[in-house]
Amino acid sequence: MTDHSTSAARQESLARLFSAAKVVPVITIDRIEDAVPLARSLVAGGIRVLEITLRTSVALEAAKAIIAEVPDAIVGLGTVLDGADLARAASIDAKFALSPGATPELLQAASRSHIPFVPGIATASELMAALAHGFEIVKFFPAQQAGGISALRALGGPFPHARFCPTGGISVTNAAEWLSERNVVAVGGSWLCPAADIRAGNWDSITARARQAMEMPAR
Ligand code: 3PG
């Protein structure tokens, strides 16, 4: 059973973390040696909260390396698809976990876990399932493709307490617009760390992109 009092406190600290972060880069690391310099380049640009996606064979090791070597980074795991992924996140002391979706199995596993969890939703029913399990902060995914800001506003009508981290199709050109929505705590996206820049070790351009993102007005 969900302990809603504990989960409410966890939701509040998650909301504070995401609001302070404003922008959460969605990071895919192919080569372990890129992990630490990439995290350092984001931190140098003012971005500390990082989502390392579990999409590559080195993802978990990469997240562990960042946790060990970049103390200013606040590392969460993304692309968490099931209870086993959630356990992986807990095993490396990730500060939070995010999923693109909200399956019943994952919501149940997350209710039992101590790791702060952000499920992904794109419909009212998925949001209702997340809320029923005590998750008020959700990833709206894929945000642009699933209807953009007008869809977010429509979801905010019946669910005024839900708070969103829109991800999917967000970039420097539209992030500020999303951030000005009353129920958006932060935006996520891969635009801050393009694969080509990671591959080429263009850390300065990632720092510049991070800085530009942090200069965006928020609310
Ligand atoms: C995610 O997993 O959150 C998305 O892949 C990020 O979407 P984007 O690449 O459009 O930013």
Side-chain angles (χ1 to χ4, degrees):
M1 209 178 99
T2 308
D3 176 350
H4 282 291
S5 58
T6 316
S7 78
R10 211 175 296 142
Q11 291 291 293
E12 267 325 301
S13 65
L14 200 49
R16 278 197 299 276
L17 180 70
F18 273 56
S19 298
K22 193 165 86 167
V23 174
V24 180
V26 174
I27 302 171
T28 299
I29 297 173
D30 288 307
R31 299 180 305 199
I32 188 70
E33 60 270 29
D34 293 333
V36 166
L38 172 58
R40 286 197 179 123
S41 68
L42 289 162
V43 168
I47 291 189
R48 295 182 58 206
V49 175
L50 314 180
E51 172 186 343
I52 310 296
T53 61
L54 283 177
R55 293 182 200 175
T56 64
S57 58
V58 301
L60 202 65
E61 284 309 307
K64 273 167 77 172
I66 296 167
I67 291 168
E69 294 180 47
V70 192
D72 286 339
I74 300 169
V75 177
L77 286 192
T79 320
V80 164
L81 303 181
D82 53 26
D85 285 346
L86 212 49
R88 279 183 196 105
S91 77
I92 63 159
D93 271 337
K95 293 287 177 278
F96 59 92
L98 299 110
S99 180
T103 63
E105 186 263 342
L106 182 56
L107 290 173
Q108 275 159 29
S111 309
R112 289 191 298 264
S113 165
H114 291 300
I115 190 159
F117 176 64
V118 181
I121 68 96
T123 67
S125 294
E126 289 159 2
L127 179 52
M128 286 161 69
L131 293 171
H133 285 80
F135 300 106
E136 285 190 356
I137 299 154
V138 296
K139 172 163 166 161
F140 178 37
F141 177 78
Q144 281 297 133
Q145 298 86 339
I149 288 179
S150 58
L152 178 90
R153 287 187 184 152
L155 285 169
F159 307 108
H161 302 304
R163 285 167 288 178
F164 299 88
C165 177
T167 309
I170 297 185
S171 71
V172 69
T173 59
N174 58 6
E177 211 184 323
W178 282 97
L179 283 167
S180 67
E181 292 296 306
R182 66 152 189 91
N183 50 6
V184 168
V185 286
V187 295
S190 63
W191 91 90
L192 294 139
C193 320
D197 276 348
I198 299 176
R199 182 143 289 280
N202 285 337
W203 310 127
D204 288 350
S205 71
I206 291 177
T207 298
R209 224 177 266 110
R211 212 166 264 142
Q212 179 191 38
M214 294 314 282
E215 280 162 6
M216 276 181 323
R219 276 177 288 282

